[in-house]
């Protein structure tokens, strides 16, 4: 067997999967949460060769992503199935910010590690965590290739008019200030699976993919290529997120700086205390909905702003693409919250968007259509699978001639 370990480190979590490279079957998976906090948690699932699934959950303290990686190795050992036994041939790592430097999956060496560190200023919540896990993994498995798959790579096809900010060109060049876009691996795999679901080649489709998780972004995909996306220089621009503001007038930041905020305080405000949390007091969509259902006005406003922002991008991308064949919802909120999908698509019959309420409410897990059969634009729910896509791209790099 040839297995690939995929490590998807978030700012405070590690999601991982062990995947058979040839069959793309999942052999084990897990999640380590609340890294850096007093009490963390690891959940590990492993599927024995016979097919039985075992599941283990533990409360542990995980100081950083290196400790998290070690906890993952121990969970494999306790499950009676060490990673080594699976015939590990490579490790694929999600790296959030690849700048203009990395346009494709890349074999990791010291130079690549240094570059990922250097790009941390453009993804301060993500790149340092990604790098810690990479260093731990290369220490644990020094004899096999490690491959970085960048969130930004898929968006390198954007045209200059989409990725340029209208600031002094010299300043922009010197500091690398342009739109890079993120969640690219998710947008890429979801666009492909949506095309499969529609039974049409991705090369002939115009799609608007809405990745609505803790972080959230919209992407205009033309023929399988990203032509615009809502996140920018950093994963802070665009949609309203769990704790991130998304779009805000840059003049507002100047105003707060003049009012006495320093850089660290602004960073914390916009990245950790804004979005759904800032508007409503809770960052989890389930809690916001619950509060809104009980008449909480702040929660209602949060939901309204959340949907309004998505619709603003939807309108923009319908125009940029010259119409669309599909609108695709994915990630935690996109896959699980019918009310958000209904709010986003409300009143768009004129544009050819008609949701079927029963299909929208269905709890089915697979990729599916939630629009009516006569809806000119198909509306789909497609589960994202960044890990499978990272495994696929890692395998391509290690088997390339
Ligand atoms: N069944 C559900 N019902 C409502 N919201 C959900 C459900 N499952 C996940 N979510 C929401 O999805 C978000 C997390 O999405 P996810 O894609 O897991 O995020 P990330 O990968 O960025 O950590 C949270 O806001 C959470 O409330
Ligand atoms: C780039 C980004 O925002 O990632 P996540 O949604 O995992 O935080
Ligand atoms: Mg995510």
């Amino acid at each position: 067997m040839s297995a690939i370990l995929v490590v998807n480190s978030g700012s405070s979590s590690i999601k991982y999967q062990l995947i058979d490279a040839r069959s793309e079957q999942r052999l084990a998976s897990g999640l380590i949460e609340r890294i850096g906090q007093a009490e963390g948690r690891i959940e590990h699932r492993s599927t024995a060769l016979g097919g039985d699934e075992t599941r283990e959950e533990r409360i542990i303290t995980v100081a950083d992503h290196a400790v998290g990686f070690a906890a993952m190795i121990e969970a494999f050992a306790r499950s009676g199935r060490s990673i080594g036994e699976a015939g590990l041939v490579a490790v694929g790592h999600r790296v959030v910010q690849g700048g203009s430097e990395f346009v494709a999956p890349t074999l990791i060496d010291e130079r690549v590690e240094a570059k990922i560190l250097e790009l941390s200023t453009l993804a301060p919540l993500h790149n340092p965590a990604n790098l810690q896990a990479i260093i731990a993994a290369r220490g644990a498995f020094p004899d096999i290739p490690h491959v970085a798959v960048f969130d930004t790579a898929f968006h390198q096809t954007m045209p200059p008019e989409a990725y340029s900010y209208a600031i002094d060109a010299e300043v922009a060049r010197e500091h690398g200030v342009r739109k890079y876009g993120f969640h690219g691996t998710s947008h890429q795999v979801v666009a492909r699976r949506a095309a499969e679901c529609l039974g049409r080649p991705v090369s002939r489709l115009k799609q608007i993919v809405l990745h609505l998780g803790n972080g959230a972004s919209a992407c205009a995909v033309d023929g399988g290529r990203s032509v615009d996306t809502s996140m920018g220089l950093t994963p802070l621009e665009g949609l309203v997120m769990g704790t991130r503001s998304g779009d805000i007038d840059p003049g507002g930041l100047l105003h707060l700086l003049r009012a006495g905020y320093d850089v660290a305080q602004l960073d914390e405000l916009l990245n950790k205390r804004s979005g759904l949390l800032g508007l409503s007091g809770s960052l989890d969509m389930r809690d916001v909905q619950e509060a809104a259902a009980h008449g909480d006005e702040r929660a209602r406003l949060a939901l309204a702003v959340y949907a309004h922002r998505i619709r603003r991008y939807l309108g923009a991308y319908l125009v940029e693409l010259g119409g669309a064949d599909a609108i695709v919802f994915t990630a935690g909120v996109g896959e699980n919250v019918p009310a958000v999908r209904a709010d986003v698509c409300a009143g768009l019959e004129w544009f050819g968007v008609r949701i079927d309420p029963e299909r929208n409410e269905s709890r089915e897990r697979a990729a599916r259509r939630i629009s009516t059969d006569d809806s000119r634009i198909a509306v789909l729910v497609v589960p994202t699978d960044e890990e499978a896509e990272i495994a696929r791209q890692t395998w391509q790099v290690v088997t390339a001639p």
Side-chain angles (χ1 to χ4, degrees), residues 113-129:
E113 281 186 354
K115 198 72 205 172
I116 292 170
L117 179 65
E118 206 182 301
L119 289 163
S120 287
T121 50
L122 300 180
L125 296 183
H126 294 91
N127 269 36

Side-chain angles (χ1 to χ4, degrees), residues 8 13 15 94 183 211-216 242 244 276 283-287 289 306 330-337 363 384 386:
N8 178 349
S13 70
K15 290 180 191 163
R94 175 186 181 209
H183 293 138
H211 175 111
L212 310 177
N214 250 320
R244 289 173 244 167
L276 292 176
L283 64 96
D284 194 292
M285 183 51 88
R286 283 164 282 211
D287 300 334
Q289 285 193 299
Y306 188 90
T330 193
V333 174
E335 292 166 32
N336 295 300
V337 190
R363 296 270 153 196
T384 189
E386 289 166 304

Side-chain angles (χ1 to χ4, degrees), residues 357-376:
E358 213 165 287
R359 289 179 184 173
N360 186 31
E361 291 291 334
S362 151
R363 296 270 153 196
E364 201 185 315
R365 297 291 314 147
R368 64 188 199 278
R369 204 177 166 121
I370 60 165
S371 48
T372 59
D373 291 338
D374 66 353
S375 181
R376 193 153 34 82

Side-chain angles (χ1 to χ4, degrees), residues 5 7 9 14 64-70 72-73 91-95 108-118 120 126-148:
L5 176 67
V7 183
S9 333
I14 298 177
D64 58 27
H65 285 68
V67 174
F69 190 85
M72 178 201 74
I73 302 271
V91 184
H93 296 269
R94 175 186 181 209
V95 178
I108 300 173
D109 57 17
E110 277 71 33
R111 191 196 69 86
V112 173
E113 281 186 354
K115 198 72 205 172
I116 292 170
L117 179 65
E118 206 182 301
S120 287
H126 294 91
N127 269 36
N130 300 154
L131 186 60
Q132 262 182 9
I134 288 172
I135 291 170
R138 289 184 77 211
F141 304 107
D143 301 324
I144 56 173
H146 290 247
V147 175

Side-chain angles (χ1 to χ4, degrees), residues 325-391:
D325 301 292
I327 296 168
V328 191
F329 287 90
T330 193
V333 174
E335 292 166 32
N336 295 300
V337 190
V340 167
R341 298 192 296 254
D343 286 351
V344 168
C345 295
L348 300 185
E349 291 79 8
W350 191 83
F351 295 91
V353 177
R354 255 175 224 284
I355 296 285
D356 178 319
E358 213 165 287
R359 289 179 184 173
N360 186 31
E361 291 291 334
S362 151
R363 296 270 153 196
E364 201 185 315
R365 297 291 314 147
R368 64 188 199 278
R369 204 177 166 121
I370 60 165
S371 48
T372 59
D373 291 338
D374 66 353
S375 181
R376 193 153 34 82
I377 299 179
V379 184
L380 307 178
V381 175
V382 175
T384 189
D385 200 344
E386 289 166 304
E387 288 78 14
E389 182 62 21
I390 291 170

Side-chain angles (χ1 to χ4, degrees), residues 5 15 23-24 32 48 56 63-64 80 82 91-92 102 129 164 179 193 219 251 280 304 318 325 333 354 358 373 376:
L5 176 67
K15 290 180 191 163
S23 68
E24 299 193 355
I32 301 165
E56 188 209 40
D64 58 27
S82 75
V91 184
F102 298 108
S164 303
K179 184 184 279 279
R193 290 192 179 171
C219 185
S280 78
L318 278 169
D325 301 292
V333 174
R354 255 175 224 284
E358 213 165 287
D373 291 338
R376 193 153 34 82

